[in-house]
Every structure is written in C-alpha cells, then in structure tokens.
C-alpha cells in the first residue's frame, strides 16, 4: 500500500498534464509541420534513405531533429494523431524526468510535483507540441536532466567512475539536440566555478574536479572543431549581436537591451500571449506589481533586521527593479503596457526567488542549490535567444514570438526554481508552526517574532507560484482548444486520402495547376489550403521543383481565372489536364470537372 | 592574507560587484547615454563605397559596364554603371561594392546615404551585407525615382535603425559590402546610373 501511495505524486503529474494536453490529440497537422517535413526530402533524398546524407550530418546542429522527423514520417506518414500522441508522450516523459530529478536532489516531493507540472503546462515552451514535428526537443530535455543528475552526482561524490559518467552524459546531452543545447556550455562553466570556489580547501576533491573540467573542455573542443556540432552556422553568426556592441549597449543603456532579457525571463512566468492577459490583463497585472513591491520591501527589512547586510544590499536589485522598468518604458520601442507590467512582475519574482533561496540556504541547502541550478538553466539557455533578438522584432525566429521552442528548456529551469521556492517556503511555514506549538518562554516568542517579517514572503510566494502554474494550465488548454476549432483532423485526413490519387498526375513547373474545390463540409478551408500543395510536394518528392498550385474555392473565381488565362475554351474540349475540380461533402471527394465544364 | 583571498571574501566581492553592475545597467536604461556622433572619424571611414576604384565594384550577373571618372577640378568623382543590353536584361540590375564598415561606425551612424544620378525612372534600393559572397544583412525599402528626378544628381537617405529591421537585431559585426538594386521602368531603354558618393552619417 505504501509503495502505491509513493507513486501518487508522479501519477498526479501525468494525469494533470494529460488532461491539459489532451485537446492536442485531435488537432490536424499544422502548416509549419509541412515545412519541417519538406526538409527531410531535401536532406535524405527522394528515396528518404538514411545513407543519403554524409555521416557528419548526424552530428551537425540539426541532425537529430530531422532524422527523428524522418523516422516518424516513415512510420506514420501524415497521420496527425500519431504525431501528437508521440509528442504528448514525450512531453510528459520529459516532465516526469524533471519530477524524478527534482525529487532526488531536493528531497522534496512537493517541489518535484510543482516542477513537473509547471514544465508540462508551460505556455511559452509549448511550440514543439503545437508545431508537432519538433518533438525531439523533449528527448533533448530528458538527456539534459540525465546529464545534470550525473553532474551533481560527481560533485557530491567525486570519484573516477562518476567523473567518466558525467563526461559521457555531457557529450550525449549535446549530441541529442545540439542546436538547443548551446546553453549547456555557459551552464557548466558557471557550475564548475561555483564548485571550485566551494571546494577551494579540499585538495583531494580539487584534483578530481580539475580532471573533470579538463574532460568537459576536451569534449567541447572536440564538438566545436572536429565534428562542428557546437560551431556557429552562417545564419547564427549573422543573427547574433556583436559582443562589443552588446557590452556598449549594456553600459550605456542605448538601446535598453537588458530589458529584453528580463522580458524573456518573465515570459516563462506570465506569458503576454495568454488568453487571460488578452481578456483581462491590467486587472490582474497591476495588483501583482503592487504585491511584489511590498514583498521586496519586506525582504529588505527582514535582512536588515537579521543583520544580513550583504543580502540586504543585494535585495536592492529586487526593490529597484519595478521602478527602473517603469521609468525606462519610454525608451522601449513598440512595448505596450502589458509587456512592461509582465517584465516588472516576472523580473521581480525571479530576483526575489533567488534572493530568498540564498536567504534560506542554511535551512535547506539541497533545495536552495537545486533552485539556483534552475535559475542558472534559465539564464544560460535564454542567453542565445536574447543575443539574436535584443530588440522587439516581428521575425518568426525571434523570442518575441512568445510561444517558441527557445523557451522549452528554460521553462524546465524556471519550473525547478519556482518549485524549490514553493517547497522551501512550505517547509519553513511548517517548522514555524511546530515552534509556535512548543513555545514556553518569552525569549522564544521574541525569537519567533523576528521571523514575522519574512512571513508575508513565505505565504505569498508559494501562493503566487501556484497561481502562475494554474495560469499556464488554463492558457495552454485554451490555446490547444482554440487551435482545434474548425479543424476536424479525421475529416481532413479523409479528404486527403480521397484526393491524393488525383494529385499524383499533377504537372511540374513551369505549368500552373488550377484546382477548384467545392467544399460542402465544415472543415475550415485554410487546412485544405495548407495541406494540398505541401503534401503533394512531399509525397511526389518535388521539393527542389515544387508544383505551382492555384487553389480556388469559389466557382465564379475559378471560371474567371481560367477565362483570364484563356484556358476556359480549351478546357471545354477536355484538353487541359492541369485543371482539376472536386467536390467534398465531408465523406466523399468526387471529380466534378466534366460536370462543371459540360464535357461530353 | 589568507583571509583576504578566502572563497568567502571572493564571493562577497562578486556579490557587491554584481549588484553595482545591475544597478548601473538598469539605471542607464532610464536615461541612455547616446553614442558620440561620428565627427571623430576620418571621412574615409564614413564612406561606404569607393567611387574612385572601379575594382571595388562587382556586378552580380547582367551585362554591365562599370567606369570610374575622376576630376580633381570639379571634385565630382563618380562611377558610372551602364546597362548595355536592354533586350536581354529585363528586370532588376544588382551590383555591389566591397568596403569595410566597422561595427562601431555602424553603431554610431544614423543614416546610409547615396548620391547618384539616373537617366530614366526606376526603383533604387540599397542594402549592406555581412560577408563578401554571403547575402545576409539588412535590405532597405527602395525609393521610386520619377521623371522629375532623372538626369539630376540626387541624394537618397535610409535610416539605419529602421522600425522594420531594428539595428541591434542585425548589428552582428563589421559589414563588408553594400548592395544596390535598380529596377528600371522602361525595359527597352539603356540604363545609366552614376554614383557619386555612398556614405554614413
């Protein structure tokens, strides 16, 4: 029985995530998925052979991404349900990995449950699920946390065996999804410096630690200079802001690029594209800003009262953050009020959480260290998206697209940070209550009142974090439900299966193919539009010379188009085979070309 | 001595330094220190193309003749681009000049300017490219030259920090090329373009 109850928390994580992500199962393949599928024809050739690309392909920046898409395409074709079920399975598996990692190293089931759920329902990191073909990001998350587990194991028990395992899983984590793992390099750099300083006086450990650093450095050099896995691509070199200019911008505030970094971090806590923000943004955001101003002040006073002057000095960052962002808003080109308030709230929560963990470090070192590891993951993995889009941009590849694959790994870091804060607050509250029950002397009562200043933080931070988790749950679920409107995946697949045989005869360029579809079903025409040209291109392997398809849904517009191209008269004689006309009633696709042209 | 270099002291120093840096970085966002203008740079560093050197210009396809003219009396050095074969070269003419534009100059500069003369109405556009041969960089909206402005020396100006492509999203290092695109309106007429100066301001 006890064994069964020990599974309850992980089952809770799985159940919550399944309920939130379930609407995705009935979604059709999105237009972006076809873009990813077309790449496999380019990369693996017309026969989609694993032997077509050179061996180096499998260790290049996007190798595993497109190899995984090819495998799934070979197994399931265009079946959207298969893609989404696999995707949701992997997302839940990644959340369970985060759960297990947090439970093991923080020794807190509460922290583990919050971390698993927060990652799984996080709206900004959802793109690999909505775009569906990027499912391998979740395998990347799993391998990252397996490496982090081995990494911590080495630092807590430094032995030769643990060193080898840490180095091996480091290489595997990078190779699992190189382009998303660039942040791992600054992450281990920060971590290794931390442990070097911490174990400064322990000579025996220091020797092994230096060997460990050398091993990781060797792997990085190998992956940069020999395999090219971690080297920059021409596209990335063009997009990344120059280091000199970045430093000058940071020191002069022109333009205020630092605020963008805070916005990206804040997006992980409260996303501006959430349906809740668009409906009632200001009503929720304004009170939150005020609450955080009070909490930050309480924290500062508490540190002064407890004579933790260095921490009080550090808490000036949190206290001044909201006013700084408010005052700089006039220099933030294209930012609306919601973005400014979200930056204030998210940045404050992030700063306060870190300060709070440092404050509580002596009471629960494990939780505090795991929380700070979460912070480090956020910062290091958000660094590169920030460097390629330091100012507001409408580019689809910018992190200003607030639901993006760039946020998936940082969302895992944020989940661990916030989960640690929740668990540490809960433990501290329980502890205070226990002391209260056993109070005997006035001196003890006085000791307890000293802690009263931190009480609002102990109470409010976990409540806010639970609220943010609930917020993400609702926003993610709403987004997936909204995506399913007018998109009956079963009918769309039925339509494709019926029309595909006709499209096999489609003409290559320079011919233009004119297709009229009389859509009498309830499918939104945009899904038919997205599907026809792209699926035909992939099925017929015409990626290098894609067919030109003019798809028209109105009979009148179709006739006018043909008339304009002087094709109508010729077609009446039945001579044009680049003209098609179909009718779809939701069950059957019929060829109506003869009927509409009265060909006898 | 030992205490001074202990990890704890080192950690405290890092915290103080990090907090001060944070406060500085956040406070300058309120009233940014705008960069000094370009006065301190020599004129040759502000030129974005060399109109005196015909070898620094490259035609990207098309049948193009490039001629440089130098006149020490009138100070009207310029390069002529003559579109020789109008019957086979419809559409867009594209050519580039190789020139090193340091990132600091681009950071401080506000505009890219071209002084030129066209013999017929056309669309005239420019862009800058990060590396020679790799076409990555910002391309600005072309200006339409109507018949009132043909056969006259005119200057067109483009904002480097265009709201559509903000400077700090493309300022990734020194730029190596300026690219020009001209779409003439009359396909049957020979196009002659004279460029007098390309410069940053």
């Amino acid at each position: 029985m006890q064994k069964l109850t020990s599974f309850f928390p992980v089952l809770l994580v799985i159940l919550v995530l399944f309920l939130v992500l379930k609407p995705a199962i009935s979604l059709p393949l999105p237009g972006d998925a076809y873009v990813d599928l077309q790449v496999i024809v380019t990369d693996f050739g017309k026969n989609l052979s694993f032997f077509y690309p050179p061996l180096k392909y499998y260790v290049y920046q996007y190798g595993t991404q497109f190899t995984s898409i090819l495998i799934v395409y070979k197994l399931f074709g265009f079946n959207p349900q298969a893609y989404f079920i696999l995707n949701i399975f992997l997302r839940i598996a990644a959340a369970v990995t985060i759960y297990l990692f947090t439970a093991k190293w923080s020794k807190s089931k509460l922290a583990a449950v919050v971390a698993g759920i927060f990652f799984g329902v996080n709206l900004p990191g959802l793109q690999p699920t909505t775009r569906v073909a990027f499912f391998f990001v979740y395998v990347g998350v799993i391998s990252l946390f397996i490496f982090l587990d081995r990494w911590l194991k080495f630092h807590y028990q430094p032995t030769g065996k643990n060193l080898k395992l840490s180095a091996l899983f480091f290489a595997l984590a990078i190779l699992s999804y190189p382009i998303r793992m660039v942040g791992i390099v600054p992450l281990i750099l920060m971590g290794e410096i931390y442990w070097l300083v911490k174990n400064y006086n322990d000579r025996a450990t220091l020797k092994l630690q230096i060997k460990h650093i050398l091993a990781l450095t060797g792997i990085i050099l190998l992956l940069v200079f020999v395999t090219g896995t971690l080297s920059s691509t021409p596209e990335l070199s063009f997009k990344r802001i120059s280091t000199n200019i970045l430093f000058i911008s940071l020191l002069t505030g022109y333009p205020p690029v630092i605020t963008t970094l805070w916005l990206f971090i804040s997006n992980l806590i409260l996303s501006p594209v959430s349906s809740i923000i668009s409906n009632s943004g200001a009503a929720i955001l304004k009170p939150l800003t005020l609450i955080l101003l009070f909490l930050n002040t309480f924290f500062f006073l508490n540190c002064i009262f407890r004579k933790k002057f260095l921490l009080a000095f550090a808490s000036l960052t949190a206290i001044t953050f909201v006013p700084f962002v408010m005052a700089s808003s006039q220099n933030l080109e294209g930012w609306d009020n919601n973005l400014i308030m979200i930056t204030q709230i998210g940045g404050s929560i992030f700063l306060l959480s870190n300060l709070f963990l440092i404050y509580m470090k002596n009471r629960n070192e494990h939780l505090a260290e795991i929380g700070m590891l979460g912070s480090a993951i956020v910062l290091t993995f958000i660094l590169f998206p920030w460097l390629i889009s330091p100012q507001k941009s409408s580019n689809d590849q910018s992190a200003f697209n607030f639901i993006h694959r760039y946020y998936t790994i940082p969302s895992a870091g944020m989940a661990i940070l916030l989960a640690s804060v929740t668990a540490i607050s809960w433990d501290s509250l329980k502890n205070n209550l226990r002391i209260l029950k056993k109070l005997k002397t006035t001196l003890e009562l006085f000791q307890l009142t000293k802690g009263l200043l931190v009480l609002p933080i102990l109470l409010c931070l976990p409540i806010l974090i639970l609220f943010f988790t609930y917020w993400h749950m609702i926003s993610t679920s709403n987004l997936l439900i909204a995506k399913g409107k007018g998109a009956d995946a079963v009918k769309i697949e039925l339509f494709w299966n019926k029309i595909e045989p006709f499209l096999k005869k489609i003409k290559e360029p320079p011919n233009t193919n004119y297709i009229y579809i009389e859509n009498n079903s309830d499918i939104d025409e945009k899904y038919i539009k997205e599907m026809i040209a792209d699926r035909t291109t992939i099925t017929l392997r015409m990626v290098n010379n894609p067919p030109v398809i003019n798809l028209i849904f109105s009979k009148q517009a179709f006739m006018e188009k043909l008339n304009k191209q002087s094709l109508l008269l010729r077609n009446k004689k039945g001579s044009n085979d680049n003209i098609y006309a179909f009718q779809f009633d939701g069950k059957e696709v019929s060829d109506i070309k003869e009927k509409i042209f009265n060909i006898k | 001595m030992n205490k001074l270099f202990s990890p704890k002291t080192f950690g405290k120093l890092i915290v103080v330094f990090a907090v001060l840096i944070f406060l500085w970085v956040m406070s300058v966002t309120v009233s940014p220190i705008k960069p000094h203008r370009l006065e301190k740079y020599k004129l040759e560093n502000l030129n974005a193309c060399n109109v005196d050197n015909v070898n620094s210009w490259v035609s990207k396809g098309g049948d193009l003749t490039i001629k440089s003219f130098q006149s020490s009396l009138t100070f009207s050095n310029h390069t002529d681009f003559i579109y020789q074969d109008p019957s086979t070269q419809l559409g867009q003419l594209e050519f580039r000049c190789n020139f090193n534009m340091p990132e600091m100059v681009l950071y401080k500069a506000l505009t890219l300017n071209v002084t030129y003369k066209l013999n017929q109405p056309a669309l005239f556009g420019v862009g800058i490219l990060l590396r020679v041969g790799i076409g990555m960089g910002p391309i600005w909206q072309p200006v339409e030259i109507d018949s009132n402005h043909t056969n006259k020396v005119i200057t067109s100006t483009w904002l480097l920090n265009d709201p559509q492509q903000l400077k700090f999203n493309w300022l990734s290092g020194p730029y190596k090329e300026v690219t020009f695109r001209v779409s003439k309106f009359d396909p049957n007429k020979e196009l002659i373009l004279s460029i007098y100066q390309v410069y940053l301001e």
Side-chain angles (χ1 to χ4, degrees), chain B residues 5 7 51 71 104 119 140 181 193:
Chain B
F5 289 104
V51 290
S71 162
M104 277 314 295
N119 73 330
W140 285 276
R181 288 171 184 182
L193 164 70

Side-chain angles (χ1 to χ4, degrees), chain B residues 81 83 89-95 116-126 141-152 154 156 158 180-194:
Chain B
F81 298 87
Y83 208 174
Q89 294 292 327
L90 296 175
Q92 204 174 56
L93 162 70
E94 188 175 341
F95 53 93
Y116 59 105
K117 186 169 78 178
L118 272 165
N119 73 330
Q120 63 161 298
L123 283 175
F124 184 81
V126 293
Q141 279 290 321
V143 286
E144 189 176 331
I145 309 300
D146 57 24
S147 51
N148 295 332
H149 293 92
T150 52
N151 296 315
K152 288 177 191 165
I154 53 173
S156 295
W158 289 270
F180 300 84
R181 288 171 184 182
V182 190
S183 303
K184 58 180 183 170
F185 290 166
D186 184 352
N188 298 317
K189 188 178 168 186
E190 185 181 63
L191 179 113
I192 303 172
L193 164 70
S194 308

Side-chain angles (χ1 to χ4, degrees), chain A residues 38-39 79 85 101 136 208 349 416 473 513 547 560 564 586:
Chain A
Q38 287 190 32
V39 177
N79 182 354
I85 289 173
F101 174 84
F136 212 69
L208 260 178
I349 290 275
I416 292 173
M473 265 187 216
N513 299 280
E560 278 172 13
K564 223 175 179 179

Side-chain angles (χ1 to χ4, degrees), chain A residues 193 197-198 200-201 233-245 248-259 262 310 313-318 320-321 323-325 327-328 330-331 333 351 387-394, chain B residues 2 5-8 10-35 37 103-104 106-107 110 128 130-131 134 136-138 161 163-164 166-175:
Chain A
I193 292 172
V197 174
K198 199 178 170 190
Y200 180 72
N201 292 322
T233 61
E235 191 191 0
L236 283 177
S237 305
F238 162 62
K239 286 184 188 167
R240 201 183 56 237
I241 186 172
S242 137
T243 317
N244 292 343
I245 299 294
I248 290 169
S249 308
L250 288 175
L251 291 177
T252 61
Y254 175 76
V257 290
I258 188 71
T259 332
W262 287 112
L310 188 67
F313 179 63
S315 72
L316 287 177
T317 54
T320 54
F321 185 77
F324 272 142
V325 176
S328 66
Q330 60 197 351
N331 301 319
E333 280 179 60
L351 287 167
L387 293 181
I388 62 171
S389 206
Q391 277 197 286
K392 196 170 190 295
S393 163
S394 54
Chain B
N2 224 356
F5 289 104
S6 73
K8 215 171 177 181
F10 182 66
K12 281 178 185 172
L13 282 173
I14 286 183
V15 171
V16 172
F17 180 72
V19 172
L20 290 176
I21 284 284
F22 174 91
L23 293 174
W24 172 264
V25 165
M26 290 306 292
S27 63
V28 286
T29 60
V30 179
S31 49
I33 305 161
K34 296 233 168 140
R37 292 287 159 245
E103 62 208 273
M104 277 314 295
L106 284 168
Y107 172 67
L110 298 176
I128 54 174
L130 192 63
R131 288 184 201 160
I134 299 177
M136 283 176 178
N161 201 27
Q164 299 303 317
L166 292 166
K167 197 200 283 185
F168 292 85
N169 291 341
W170 55 256
L171 197 46
S172 41
Y175 274 72

Side-chain angles (χ1 to χ4, degrees), chain A residues 385-431:
Chain A
W386 175 52
L387 293 181
I388 62 171
S389 206
Q391 277 197 286
K392 196 170 190 295
S393 163
S394 54
N395 186 332
D396 183 51
Q397 292 190 357
S398 154
F400 272 93
N401 173 9
F402 290 109
I403 300 175
H404 204 286
R405 52 194 176 278
Y406 298 162
Y407 288 111
T408 308
I409 296 179
S411 71
M414 188 59 85
I416 292 173
L417 168 68
L418 298 185
S420 306
V421 171
T422 311
I424 220 165
S425 306
W426 178 244
D427 282 355
S428 191
L429 274 173
K430 275 198 303 189
N431 201 28

